[in-house]
Amino acid sequence: MSTLNDTIKGWRANGAGFWGARTEQERRFLAVGGAVVGLGLIYGLLIDPALTGREKLRRELPLMRQEAAELQALASQAAQLSTAPATPPAPLSREALNTALASRGLTPQNVVATGDYFKIEFRNVPFAGLVTWLDAARRENRLAVQEGKVSAQDAAGMVDATLTLRQETGSR
């Protein structure tokens, strides 16, 4: 603490010596220059950012209000849509199921359709293709796996699978 006081006292002494060595005209010139520099710093650090920020907000505020109104309209629309019942998917037929499987390159051994249940047996199909098709069927046709058995084959990535799927009708 004493070294800090000594340092400050040293600066004061140097400043007083510098100020005392100046003539009255130089002192006035330095005081006016210091005041101009001080005012410039105050303007540059405090006043100008406030003025430019105010102008920027004045320009952007109407756009922000419009965006807020659009967001409120979208929120109310989302609330209305969330209360509306979901539209049930079209009933899936055995032919449509076979077509969907064929479009993904999957060939089932056996397909049995009973109401909204489907039992499908696959032999030696790529696991990645099977999972991709199941995900698409879940999203597009609301097919859910009720029971499944998957067993790996000797070839990497190939499986045998027996799946029981049910189409969710949304009536529950």
Side-chain angles (χ1 to χ4, degrees), residues 21-142:
R22 304 292 143 228
T23 65
E24 189 62 35
Q25 183 180 7
E26 288 176 330
R27 288 180 188 168
R28 276 192 229 124
F29 183 72
L30 288 173
V32 169
V36 168
V37 169
L39 289 173
L41 284 173
I42 289 173
Y43 180 80
L45 295 175
L46 301 175
I47 297 171
D48 185 48
L51 292 176
T52 55
R54 183 177 169 191
E55 179 63 27
K56 180 181 175 188
L57 285 177
R58 187 188 63 74
R59 284 191 316 264
E60 293 177 357
L61 192 58
L63 178 63
M64 288 181 187
R65 285 186 178 145
Q66 180 183 1
E67 289 174 351
E70 288 174 7
L71 285 174
Q72 287 175 345
L74 287 173
S76 66
Q77 183 181 10
Q80 290 172 354
L81 289 176
S82 68
T83 60
T87 57
L92 190 63
S93 67
R94 181 179 176 170
E95 293 76 24
L97 186 64
N98 282 328
T99 303
L101 288 167
S103 70
R104 299 281 181 169
L106 299 172
T107 307
Q109 290 291 88
N110 189 18
V111 177
V112 178
T114 307
D116 49 351
Y117 284 93
F118 298 91
K119 184 169 183 176
I120 308 170
E121 293 180 24
F122 295 98
R123 297 284 178 255
N124 204 26
V125 294
F127 181 72
L130 181 64
V131 171
T132 303
W133 172 77
L134 279 172
D135 182 50
R138 177 190 56 83
R139 283 184 279 113
E140 296 166 6
N141 299 313
R142 292 190 192 163

